[in-house]
Every structure is written in structure tokens, then in C-alpha cells.
Amino acid sequence: MMNTQLTFPLMIQHTEKFFPKKQIISRTQKRTQTLTYDEYVRRTRSLASVLDRLGVEKGDRVGTIAWNHHRHLEAYFAIPSIGAILHTINLRLSREHLIHIINHAEDKVLLIDVDLLPLIEGIKDEIKTVEAFIVMTDDEELPYSGLAPLYSYEELLANGDESFSFREDLSEDDPAGLCYTSATTGKPKGVLYSHRGLYLHSIALALADTAGLSEQDVTMPVVPMFHANAWGIPFAATWLGSTQVLPGPAPTPQILAELIEEHKVTITAGVPTIWLGLLKELESGKYNLNSLRAVLCGGSAAPKGMIRTFEETHGIPFIHAYGMTETSPIVTAANLKSYQGDLPYEEKLELRSTQGRVVPGLEIKVINDQGEAKADGKDMGELLVRGPWIADSYYKDERSKDVFVDGWLHTGDVVTIDEEGYVKIVDRTKDLIKSGGEWISSVDLENALMAHPSVFEAAVVSVPHPKWQERPVACVVLKDADKGRVTKDDLLEFLEPQFAKWWLPDEVIFMEEIPKTSVGKFLKMALREQVRKELAL
Amino acid sequence: MMNTQLTFPLMIQHTEKFFPKKQIISRTQKRTQTLTYDEYVRRTRSLASVLDRLGVEKGDRVGTIAWNHHRHLEAYFAIPSIGAILHTINLRLSREHLIHIINHAEDKVLLIDVDLLPLIEGIKDEIKTVEAFIVMTDDEELPYSGLAPLYSYEELLANGDESFSFREDLSEDDPAGLCYTSATTGKPKGVLYSHRGLYLHSIALALADTAGLSEQDVTMPVVPMFHANAWGIPFAATWLGSTQVLPGPAPTPQILAELIEEHKVTITAGVPTIWLGLLKELESGKYNLNSLRAVLCGGSAAPKGMIRTFEETHGIPFIHAYGMTETSPIVTAANLKSYQGDLPYEEKLELRSTQGRVVPGLEIKVINDQGEAKADGKDMGELLVRGPWIADSYYKDERSKDVFVDGWLHTGDVVTIDEEGYVKIVDRTKDLIKSGGEWISSVDLENALMAHPSVFEAAVVSVPHPKWQERPVACVVLKDADKGRVTKDDLLEFLEPQFAKWWLPDEVIFMEEIPKTSVGKFLKMALREQVRKELAL
């Protein structure tokens, strides 16, 4: 067989040749605009030429700090197609983490949404490697900024080369993307994606047994493009020629409902928090969303009641899926097998609210002290994954060896697997808190709290939350001398400069003692029970 | 990303783990039997152990001479999963070609259907490398045979190891399959398939924009498993856990219709000749085939009238596709784009009766003397293809250099491509008729003739002409009811409004049957001979 390398230029050139008339609907700061793929690819080639002129070379990292819109999508293909690495930066990171990852990635160029400029201006003296800042905006004039050299994206593109050639010498094993993910302790860890991995992941999304993406679809990823590449949907949709709707900066449930209705979106994707918001919006009864064939939901577990409401009240099919930044991300999707179609709805819902079955192409294993867990839906173990779109290490990071062992990714998720292969998450080995689809590290908060002069010890656990799924609550034992003298507000004020606002605990419960295991580790399960009781949750 | 090799063991182990209850319905010499995938994989592992014991090593060729049934499907996965090469042998080859390809492939073991034993017995003294003959039969006793050593497939399996391990050290670039294809002149040429190629081809078949194969499907390849791996359908169907119906030895239209109805087949695949036969059978009105979501048709061009009859008369959707042994085989499929859905039926039919659009993952180019042909649906040129499931040479064959040039496969098919990317075969480079220096497309004339209500099938060939060099002659098989009632003049009158006058055939010869290749394609060379004799040219 021919030695064809599975790379980004192959994907976008397919689109260029066969889907020039198809459209991208992009909501930006000022408007909602429509581009054809013909325009899109010409702009993408132009961006590639611009980056080339700015000195971006093969293997260089180019960072993006941006919402979901067409310019970000241009970067998605232009950067890997010249052999550089698309580093999508989570705009919700703390100042400290932003500085860390930009320096750790050694980004050479940053593409920044105009409304997000302050994030970077605030850290400009700390980031060492960036040689050019490019502002993505609908306005003709750039705002005043201390960043230098500062360029206008549109001005650069206007002077770019719309017929610039993508690289033809790329290997499928060359890196194409980089995304950092929060760690239980310490700084975020980088995941490097290869051309081959993202290519194969795109096909996986297109399998009928997964999400069945195709040219017939109108896709709208609500999951941010800075978060595991919006689950890879923009890559697959562009390649296959789907119509794409990109919902832009901080879309509200109303904006999402309007976009779905107006553009007849067939498949949308995001975390449960998004869908809770949309359900509330739908109560108004003023939308017709019957174009939707699937709401793809992952990031954290979707409550069964939510799936039921989508399907029974609104007639909108729901696909529950599971993955992580390290897995590109799709690992499992909760589709039924053909012979399960006749089960009663409640049984189907039960299966469909699990994390689902592993996608063809990947292997999984559930491991506990006794070896491989029984596939009986009860025996618990840690979920291990391997396959061609699974990371094999963290980017230049010593912590790799704890997670990637003997060729398997240890997900840190405790699951059961039933005899039909449906995986269900029961708990997390580590105690991360997942709020609105984003990770909060309990350990980081605990360490910060324990650095307070009046705190004897502190543990942070998650409590269920109707909107954000989980929120952190701090359990604090004060030093004897300070008991009764330090308040919740004192501690939150102490944490505030160190964390993003949404990381701060919703509650602080003062205790006499934190329950511990025999070896002195916090007994988090017992503590969670206690806290939930105390807060009447 | 992990360095996961895309190999056969990964595919079948997915099935083993996640689809043990799904079924394979297999028609063999004596009965139609049902196996679960659980049984199937255990038998496949057993076969692997048997081959291993017989001394089959990595890289060895194991030949199969067999119809479409479960034992052949076991060979399909057992042979590549121990690193050997599955050599599917076309049972319709001439004695001379059979001898040639078995010797050229240096097959070490042959798996033979009991009813096909005579084919091999007749050449046993000429084949040099075969060390074991294994007979696939439902009977307990083997027939008398001069082949030695001769084994019973079922007896070997009964003593095999159902938990035998497949190889874990395979590279995706290792060869997995071998299939010979007829050459215009000389001996058949071998095409070697890699694990990677067949893995990626399987996913290509599963894309919604191609054939959309999935676990939900009940597949029935009528195209033989000795012909380009039944278009790769058994690989994809097994991997994805589709229910499979394998129609066994020499299935008649009646058998096909009954299997589709009884087992609720959703997708079937074969050459136009098969579907002409099925259409005739359906005239009885006694079948309900509404489970079919697609009849996949390739191998040679399907007449537009046939597509129309399937869809309008029987409500059975038709997918016209194109490929060849050298391309695994899928290259194009004639699905509509989303925005073409509202076109009038005739326009849609026009597009859907082309060879279609290139499948994601492949690249095509149409080349003529002026360079790349214009994408205007008129400019003709030879179709070139490249991609990860396209052969890069013939197996140990000097003729490779004529077909594989500068990284492209030269298909030998003359096509047009329109602005939407739809490829239409105008002719084989060697089947074009050159009349007075102008090209006449035999395929266009054939399609037009077959649209006549009284015509069952028609082929057009060139005959030498003193003035015009070549002229077209039509060979026509009339439907039984119209035999003797339709004349040459009737047919020419029917063609007249559709073609330039000089395109019209000089002669129409009515025949009982048109000679075909083993895979149902018109045998143009033989036909040309016959016609020239008949016309005393």
C-alpha cells in the first residue's frame, strides 16, 4: 500500500476541493457572519503564509486564546498544516497557570481574541518566548495595548498569500496540537497530539456507532475550542464538509437556542452545565429545535433526569460520551446495540446514562487489586485506555511516569463495566472537582488553605450542584489559638489572589477534626458524606 | 500519541469483547447455519492455532478457494492475525491462471470448498509450494481426493486451541492479504494489502458519506470474498459488530431475495449483473425487502434505468460506487451532498448514477494531454488515485512500473469530473472507440441501450472499419417477452435523439447472453472476437 501520511493538509485539501460552497456560521464579538469553505480555506492558507513570514517554523508552538469562531478555526488548520503546533490555551486558567503554560510550551506567537487581551497584558512581563501578538477582532482599529509587537489578524491576512502551499513533507507522527490539562497537584500538564492521532480521532467521531458526523450535519460545538480541541469536532467537521456553527464568545443559553433554531443545527456538544442552562431556556416554549439529531454530552456525568427531559419533553436525542484531554478525547459513547432497541425506555435510559461502550480502535481494561475487574456492572476498578489517539506521555513532564504505565493510560477514573461493555464511572481515584466541565484541584486548594497562618489542616471535597455538577467545599480545622477568630470570608480573601474566581470554595465548614485513614490520609469519602449531611444536600 | 499498530488482531478482539452475542448467518453447501460472534472468534482462534501447528509462519501465504460463508470469514481473520497473508483465489480463473497465481504467490496451505476440490485436483501436479490442503465442508467424511496431505477443516478445528493468542508484534505495514486481478494482456497481477490499508479501508466504508456500515447493519456481500475481499465489507462488518449474512455457493436471485427478506438485510453489495437478476426475481412481487437501506453497486457502471427501477418501483435505495482490486477497493461513492437533496429526482439520479465523489482519505486527479482536466463534467482524462489503501505496486511484477507512476495509481479509466467533484467513467482507456479520430464512449451507448424497456443487457464494442478506423457495434440481450419483437431499427431510433449521428452503432447483434468475466464484468475482448467473427471482419 502507498505510504500516505495521515496529516492535516490532506484533510483541509479534501474540503477545499469538494466542499467549497458549504458554510461556516461564526459568531464573533460584533456580529454573526457566514463564510463559505472556499473563503475559509483561502483565509487559512493566508494565515499560514503570515505565520511563515513571522518566522514560525516546523515544530514551533503557536498559542491561541480564543472563543469558538471562524478565526480560531483558521488557526486550527493553518498552524498544523505548516508543521507548527496549535497550542490552545484555556482562557479560564489562573494568572499563574497561564504564565506557566505559555512559558512551558515556549509559544512563539500568540493569537488572542480582542476581549481576552487583558489576560495577556496582565502577564506580559512574565512570558518569555512570545515574539508576536496577533489580535483577532472585527474592528478595524486595535485597542491600545502594552503588548509588542502587536498585529491585527485581519490586516495580516489581507496581506497574506491565499494560495500559500501547505507542507507536503509532514510525517503523521509529527506533533500537531498541544493542550494543557489541570493536575491533581501542581501545574497543568501538557498533552501533545500528533497529526495521525487527530486524523484517526476525526474518523472515530464519524463512525455511526459514535457520533456519526458527516457532510449532512450542521455541527455546533459549545465545548470550547480551547478544551481538548472542542472534542475534535472542528477537525472532523471541516474535513467531512459539515456545515459548522461556531457560537463565539461566552454564548448564553438564549444565543445557543437561537443559533440551533436558525441554522438547523443537527449535532451539538458540551458539558452538562451547558445543557442544564439550555433546558431552562427551552421552558419558555418559544424554540423549535427539531433539527437536532444529537446532543453530545461529556466532560462530566450527565444526570439521568436531564437526559430524560431532553428526550421525553423536547424530543431531542442525547448521546452521553466520555473522554479526557489525554484521549483526544473520545473513549466511549453510550449508544445502544441493535438488539437493545426493544428494551423498555427505562432500561435503555439506564444504559445510555452510563459512559458507554469503547469506540472502535481503542482498547480498555478495568483493573483493581485482584487484576482485571469482572464485567458484571459491579466490580470496580481503574479504567485503563490505549490506542492510536491516546497520549503516551505529558509534554516534557516528570509526572508522565505516574499516568502512562506499561503502554496504558491510567485514567484515574474508577469504573464498573457490564457484560455488554458499558462503562460507568463510580468515582475518581484522585479527588478532582469538576465544575461546569472544568477541573478544580482539591489538593491545590488544600495546600493553599494550609498555608494560612491560622489553619491547622484543611480538606476540600466536592458537593453536588444543580448547575455546575460539582462545587468545592472546604473543611477547615483552625489552630486552637485562632478558633472563633477566623471567618469564612477571611479564608476566601486569602485564597482569592491565588486562584481563578470559580475555583474558590462555595462553603467553608469549620471542624474539630478531619476523618483520616489509618495512615493519616484524609478519608475523603467519609468527609463528603459528613459535608453533604451538614449542608443538607 | 501511543504507537498503536493498526492491525487485524485489534479489530477481531474488539468484536470478541463487545459483540459476542451478535450473529453470522452462513449458507454453506448443505444448510444455512447461525453462529454467534463468540463462537466465530473461538473458531477463528482455533483455525489460527491449526495453521500455526501446520507450520505457517509470518509472511507465509495461505490461499482460499471458497464461496462467501463463515469458514471463509474465519480464514479472513485467522490468517492475518498470525501474521500470514490471506490469498483469496478467484475460483472462476482459467486452469492456466490458477496454476500461475498459486505458484506465483507460493501458497503454503490451501483452504478449499469441497465443491471446488476438482479445480485444484486438476492442477495438483503443477502447483509446487502447497504443503497442506484443507477441505471446508459440512460433511463428516471427506470425498476421495488425490490431493495430499488432505485435512478436514472441521476436524482440525475440533482439535485446535480456542484460546490461541493472535500475534501482538505485528506492524501495520505488514502484508495481510493478496488478491490477483486480471490483466489486459498476460497473467493476472497480484495486489498485496497491508494491515493498515485494510484497517483504514474498513473505517472508510463506515463513514456515513460512504456506506455508513455500523453495528446496526445486517450486511450481505454478494460480491465474492475472492474478489477484492468482497469489497472489504466482511472486515468492517466483523470489526464493528454488524450482523452478517453470507450467501454461500453460487447464490441465485431467489436465494438472495429470500435471505434479504428472512434476515432483514440492511445493506448488500455486488455488481450490476447481480442486481439485474434480482430485479427480474422481484417482478414476481412475492418479496418484502424493505429492510434494505442500501444496495451498494460497483465493479462496472450500473445503468441509470436499473437504479431508477430499484428506487421507484421497489423503494430500495441504491448507492453506486467505484473501485478496483488495486484500491481495496473503494475510491468513490455516489452520495448526494446535503444541498443537493432538493434537486428534482432526475437531476439527483443523474448525479447518483455517476461513479460518485472521492471518499475522505483519498486523493484523485484527472489527467489528459493538456494536464489536469477541467472540472466541468466534459473534459476527459485518465483517473489517478492515491491514498493509504491504494496499492503501490503489483506483487513481484515488472508491470508495476506502467501503472504506479510518481506515487499515483493510473486506473486506466477515462473519466470526467464535474465542479461538484462527481466522477463519471466514460470508458476504459482500452475500450474507447476511436472513429474518424473522435472518441465514442461505449459505456454511454450501453447505458442508453439498457434504458430501453425491452433490453435486458447490452454491450458495445469496436470493430475495425476501413474508413473510420473503428466503429461501434451493439450486442443486445432482449428481455424474454420481447425476443423477436424488437429490431435493430427500433433500437437505433431509440438512440438517435440522444447521440450524435456518428455515435450510433453500425450494427446491432442480438444474443442469448453476453460473455462475462468471473466477476460479472463484460468480457469485452471475447465479445469483440465473437462480433468480428459474426460480421466476418
Side-chain angles (χ1 to χ4, degrees):
Chain A
M1 303 277 102
M2 292 179 180
N3 178 29
T4 305
Q5 295 295 295
L6 313 177
T7 59
F8 271 65
L10 279 195
M11 296 197 264
I12 191 169
Q13 283 163 12
H14 185 82
T15 310
E16 180 177 40
K17 209 160 175 180
F18 299 107
F19 307 111
K21 298 179 189 168
K22 293 291 302 278
Q23 294 181 334
I24 296 160
I25 295 103
S26 171
R27 177 177 165 267
T28 50
Q29 289 89 7
K30 295 257 165 119
R31 62 181 80 100
T32 297
Q33 53 204 290
T34 299
L35 293 85
T36 62
Y37 273 112
D38 179 54
E39 293 169 287
Y40 164 73
V41 180
R42 283 193 278 116
R43 287 171 55 89
T44 302
R45 287 190 181 278
S46 192
L47 174 58
S49 78
V50 162
L51 294 172
D52 182 67
R53 254 183 247 163
L54 285 172
V56 173
E57 291 178 12
K58 191 175 167 189
D60 283 346
R61 273 74 64 208
V62 177
T64 60
I65 306 163
W67 302 97
N68 295 8
H69 51 61
H70 67 288
R71 296 187 183 98
H72 204 173
L73 188 66
E74 286 152 13
Y76 257 48
F77 277 87
I79 295 167
S81 294
I82 59 169
I85 301 173
L86 167 75
H87 172 206
T88 53
I89 299 171
N90 186 339
L91 54 88
R92 297 209 181 93
L93 290 180
S94 67
R95 183 177 186 279
E96 184 197 348
H97 284 174
L98 270 181
I99 295 169
H100 169 73
I101 71 168
I102 293 171
N103 285 334
H104 188 266
E106 299 172 84
D107 289 323
K108 195 168 190 178
V109 173
L110 286 184
L111 302 171
I112 313 163
D113 268 2
V114 67
D115 57 325
L116 303 173
L117 268 180
L119 289 181
I120 302 303
E121 282 167 335
I123 61 172
K124 73 178 163 58
D125 296 333
E126 329 277 335
I127 52 181
K128 309 296 183 194
T129 58
V130 180
E131 295 173 12
F133 301 89
I134 301 177
V135 183
M136 301 195 280
T137 172
D138 296 329
D139 294 328
E140 301 232 332
E141 295 217 348
L142 295 189
Y144 170 77
S145 167
L147 299 173
L150 191 75
Y151 300 95
S152 153
Y153 183 92
E154 291 300 328
E155 216 173 289
L156 288 175
L157 251 62
N159 295 305
D161 175 3
E162 287 187 342
S163 57
F164 187 77
S165 291
F166 298 130
R167 282 186 84 123
E168 288 177 8
D169 61 348
L170 294 174
S171 154
E172 63 188 37
D173 296 320
D174 284 337
L178 176 62
C179 185
Y180 285 75
T181 180
S182 299
T184 326
T185 52
K187 314 278 191 195
K189 301 174 284 189
V191 176
L192 204 58
Y193 303 108
S194 67
H195 284 261
R196 170 181 162 112
L198 294 177
Y199 180 108
L200 292 174
H201 183 267
S202 299
I203 314 188
L205 281 179
L207 295 177
D209 297 318
T210 306
L213 283 193
S214 82
E215 187 273 335
Q216 305 288 323
D217 274 312
V218 181
T219 63
M220 184 176 81
V222 183
V223 49
M225 289 171 74
F226 53 77
H227 192 75
N229 302 314
W231 302 349
I233 293 170
F235 298 135
T238 302
W239 182 15
L240 301 173
S242 316
T243 301
Q244 293 184 69
V245 178
L246 298 169
T252 61
Q254 185 190 338
I255 289 172
L256 295 178
E258 287 172 359
L259 286 171
I260 293 169
E261 181 169 36
E262 183 177 349
H263 301 290
K264 299 197 185 343
V265 169
T266 61
I267 181 165
T268 179
V271 295
T273 310
I274 298 291
W275 308 129
L276 281 175
L278 183 64
L279 274 187
K280 211 163 176 184
E281 180 69 22
L282 294 186
E283 282 170 12
S284 71
K286 62 181 182 185
Y287 302 100
N288 173 359
L289 305 192
N290 67 6
S291 60
L292 275 177
R293 69 165 181 84
V295 167
L296 197 62
C297 182
S300 57
K304 212 195 291 183
M306 187 170 89
I307 303 181
R308 188 199 306 278
T309 309
F310 263 99
E311 300 195 336
E312 292 199 332
T313 309
H314 301 288
I316 298 173
F318 205 87
I319 303 177
H320 201 206
Y322 162 81
M324 49 205 290
T325 304
E326 290 86 338
T327 63
S328 293
I330 198 152
V331 174
T332 59
N335 293 303
L336 295 180
K337 296 183 188 178
S338 45
Y339 55 82
Q340 293 165 332
D342 296 332
L343 293 175
Y345 182 74
E346 289 305 313
E347 280 180 51
K348 290 199 273 194
L349 185 59
E350 192 66 40
L351 290 170
R352 297 184 45 249
S353 63
T354 67
Q355 273 57 47
R357 294 182 286 119
V358 67
V359 167
L362 297 183
E363 295 173 277
I364 58 171
K365 214 155 70 165
V366 180
I367 292 295
N368 57 31
D369 297 346
Q370 279 78 49
E372 211 157 331
K374 288 187 283 293
D376 61 359
K378 288 175 198 151
D379 204 16
M380 294 183 195
E382 186 179 6
L383 181 67
L384 275 52
V385 187
R386 71 178 179 194
W389 57 87
I390 310 297
D392 63 357
S393 62
Y394 292 117
Y395 183 59
K396 299 183 181 171
D397 199 314
E398 278 298 311
R399 291 168 291 182
S400 297
K401 64 180 186 318
D402 306 328
V403 174
F404 305 94
V405 185
D406 294 335
W408 291 87
L409 163 67
H410 290 241
T411 63
D413 283 315
V414 178
V415 305
T416 59
I417 182 166
D418 73 9
E419 62 160 0
E420 295 285 356
Y422 288 81
V423 169
K424 193 171 172 179
I425 292 189
V426 213
D427 207 344
R428 249 172 257 110
T429 47
K430 291 150 205 130
D431 289 293
L432 284 169
I433 295 153
K434 202 145 202 193
S435 172
E438 297 284 350
W439 293 111
I440 295 172
S441 163
S442 59
V443 180
D444 281 5
L445 286 171
E446 287 162 8
N447 289 341
L449 279 165
M450 290 199 270
H452 187 283
S454 303
V455 172
F456 171 64
E457 60 181 10
V460 173
V461 294
S462 68
V463 295
H465 189 278
K467 179 166 180 191
W468 306 109
Q469 272 70 56
E470 292 182 355
R471 289 293 304 155
V473 166
C475 304
V476 173
V477 180
L478 290 174
K479 290 177 181 168
D480 284 344
D482 294 313
K483 275 181 185 161
R485 295 178 40 193
V486 173
T487 66
K488 169 186 170 182
D489 287 346
D490 292 334
L491 293 178
L492 293 182
E493 206 174 294
F494 176 75
L495 294 177
E496 215 178 309
Q498 307 176 53
F499 296 98
K501 203 167 163 60
W502 55 275
W503 270 50
L504 300 184
D506 282 3
E507 284 298 337
V508 176
I509 299 175
F510 292 100
M511 295 181 168
E512 281 306 311
E513 188 185 7
I514 289 172
K516 295 191 194 66
T517 68
S518 56
V519 293
K521 287 189 184 175
F522 291 147
L523 209 51
K524 287 257 175 123
M525 231 151 39
L527 188 60
R528 255 196 300 270
E529 285 299 302
Q530 192 176 328
V531 166
R532 286 171 198 200
K533 217 173 278 170
E534 197 140 336
L535 298 177
L537 285 163
Chain B
M1 303 277 101
M2 293 180 179
N3 178 29
T4 305
Q5 296 295 294
L6 314 178
T7 60
F8 273 64
L10 278 195
M11 296 197 265
I12 191 169
Q13 284 162 11
H14 185 82
T15 310
E16 180 176 42
K17 209 160 175 180
F18 298 108
F19 305 111
K21 298 178 189 168
K22 293 293 303 278
Q23 295 181 334
I24 296 161
I25 293 102
S26 171
R27 177 177 166 267
T28 50
Q29 289 90 3
K30 296 255 163 120
R31 61 182 78 102
T32 296
Q33 52 203 291
T34 299
L35 292 85
T36 62
Y37 272 113
D38 179 53
E39 294 170 284
Y40 164 73
V41 180
R42 282 193 279 117
R43 286 172 56 87
T44 302
R45 287 191 182 274
S46 195
L47 174 58
S49 77
V50 162
L51 295 172
D52 182 67
R53 256 184 246 161
L54 285 171
V56 173
E57 290 179 11
K58 192 175 165 190
D60 283 345
R61 272 75 63 210
V62 177
T64 61
I65 305 163
W67 302 98
N68 293 9
H69 51 60
H70 67 288
R71 297 188 182 97
H72 205 174
L73 189 66
E74 285 153 13
Y76 257 47
F77 276 87
I79 296 167
S81 294
I82 60 168
I85 301 173
L86 167 75
H87 172 207
T88 53
I89 299 170
N90 185 340
L91 54 90
R92 299 211 181 91
L93 288 181
S94 66
R95 182 176 186 282
E96 182 197 351
H97 283 175
L98 270 182
I99 295 168
H100 170 72
I101 70 167
I102 292 171
N103 285 334
H104 188 265
E106 300 173 84
D107 289 322
K108 194 169 190 176
V109 174
L110 286 184
L111 301 172
I112 313 163
D113 268 1
V114 67
D115 58 323
L116 303 172
L117 268 180
L119 289 180
I120 302 303
E121 283 167 335
I123 60 172
K124 73 178 164 57
D125 297 331
E126 329 278 333
I127 53 181
K128 309 294 183 196
T129 58
V130 180
E131 296 172 11
F133 301 90
I134 302 177
V135 183
M136 301 195 280
T137 173
D138 296 329
D139 294 328
E140 300 232 331
E141 295 216 348
L142 295 188
Y144 170 79
S145 166
L147 298 174
L150 191 75
Y151 299 96
S152 153
Y153 184 91
E154 290 299 329
E155 217 173 287
L156 288 174
L157 251 61
N159 295 305
D161 175 2
E162 287 188 344
S163 57
F164 186 78
S165 290
F166 298 131
R167 283 186 83 122
E168 287 178 8
D169 60 349
L170 295 173
S171 154
E172 62 188 37
D173 295 320
D174 285 336
L178 176 62
C179 186
Y180 285 76
T181 180
S182 300
T184 324
T185 52
K187 314 275 192 197
K189 302 174 284 188
V191 176
L192 203 58
Y193 303 108
S194 67
H195 284 260
R196 171 182 161 110
L198 295 177
Y199 180 108
L200 292 174
H201 182 268
S202 298
I203 314 188
L205 281 179
L207 294 177
D209 296 318
T210 305
L213 284 194
S214 83
E215 187 273 335
Q216 305 288 322
D217 275 311
V218 181
T219 62
M220 184 176 81
V222 183
V223 49
M225 290 171 73
F226 54 77
H227 187 71
N229 303 312
W231 301 349
I233 292 169
F235 298 136
T238 303
W239 181 15
L240 300 173
S242 316
T243 301
Q244 294 185 68
V245 178
L246 297 169
T252 61
Q254 186 190 335
I255 289 172
L256 295 177
E258 286 172 359
L259 286 172
I260 294 169
E261 182 169 36
E262 184 178 349
H263 301 290
K264 300 199 181 348
V265 168
T266 61
I267 181 164
T268 180
V271 295
T273 312
I274 297 291
W275 307 129
L276 280 175
L278 183 65
L279 274 187
K280 216 166 174 182
E281 179 68 23
L282 294 186
E283 283 170 12
S284 71
K286 61 181 180 184
Y287 303 100
N288 173 0
L289 306 192
N290 68 5
S291 60
L292 276 177
R293 68 165 182 84
V295 167
L296 197 63
C297 182
S300 57
K304 212 194 293 180
M306 187 170 89
I307 303 181
R308 189 200 305 278
T309 309
F310 263 99
E311 300 195 336
E312 292 199 333
T313 308
H314 301 288
I316 299 174
F318 206 88
I319 304 177
H320 202 205
Y322 162 81
M324 49 205 290
T325 304
E326 291 85 338
T327 62
S328 294
I330 198 150
V331 174
T332 59
N335 294 302
L336 296 179
K337 297 183 188 177
S338 45
Y339 55 82
Q340 292 164 332
D342 296 332
L343 292 174
Y345 182 74
E346 290 305 315
E347 279 179 53
K348 290 199 273 193
L349 185 59
E350 192 66 41
L351 290 170
R352 297 184 44 250
S353 63
T354 68
Q355 274 56 47
R357 295 182 285 117
V358 67
V359 168
L362 297 182
E363 294 174 278
I364 58 172
K365 216 156 69 165
V366 181
I367 293 296
N368 57 29
D369 297 347
Q370 279 78 50
E372 209 156 336
K374 287 187 282 295
D376 61 359
K378 287 176 198 150
D379 204 14
M380 295 182 196
E382 186 179 8
L383 181 66
L384 275 52
V385 187
R386 70 178 180 194
W389 57 86
I390 311 297
D392 63 357
S393 63
Y394 292 115
Y395 183 60
K396 298 182 182 173
D397 200 312
E398 278 299 310
R399 291 168 292 182
S400 297
K401 64 181 187 316
D402 305 328
V403 174
F404 305 94
V405 185
D406 294 336
W408 291 86
L409 163 68
H410 290 241
T411 63
D413 283 314
V414 178
V415 305
T416 59
I417 182 167
D418 73 8
E419 61 160 359
E420 296 286 355
Y422 288 81
V423 169
K424 191 171 173 178
I425 291 190
V426 199
D427 220 326
R428 292 286 301 166
T429 38
K430 47 191 190 294
D431 286 338
L432 278 169
I433 297 156
K434 200 151 198 184
S435 173
E438 297 285 349
W439 293 114
I440 295 173
S441 162
S442 61
V443 178
D444 279 359
L445 288 171
E446 285 161 7
N447 286 340
L449 281 166
M450 288 199 266
H452 188 285
S454 302
V455 171
F456 176 66
E457 58 183 9
V460 173
V461 295
S462 69
V463 295
H465 190 278
K467 180 167 181 190
W468 306 112
Q469 279 77 53
E470 290 182 353
R471 290 294 302 155
V473 167
C475 304
V476 172
V477 181
L478 291 174
K479 290 180 180 165
D480 288 341
D482 295 314
K483 277 184 181 156
R485 298 177 38 193
V486 173
T487 66
K488 169 185 171 184
D489 288 345
D490 291 337
L491 293 178
L492 292 182
E493 207 169 289
F494 177 75
L495 294 178
E496 215 180 313
Q498 307 176 53
F499 296 98
K501 206 168 160 53
W502 57 272
W503 270 52
L504 298 184
D506 284 2
E507 283 300 332
V508 175
I509 299 175
F510 292 102
M511 296 181 165
E512 281 305 308
E513 189 183 7
I514 289 172
K516 295 193 193 66
T517 68
S518 56
V519 295
K521 292 188 192 183
F522 291 144
L523 207 54
K524 288 257 174 122
M525 232 153 39
L527 190 61
R528 256 195 300 269
E529 285 298 303
Q530 192 176 328
V531 166
R532 285 171 199 200
K533 215 174 278 169
E534 196 141 335
L535 299 176
L537 284 164

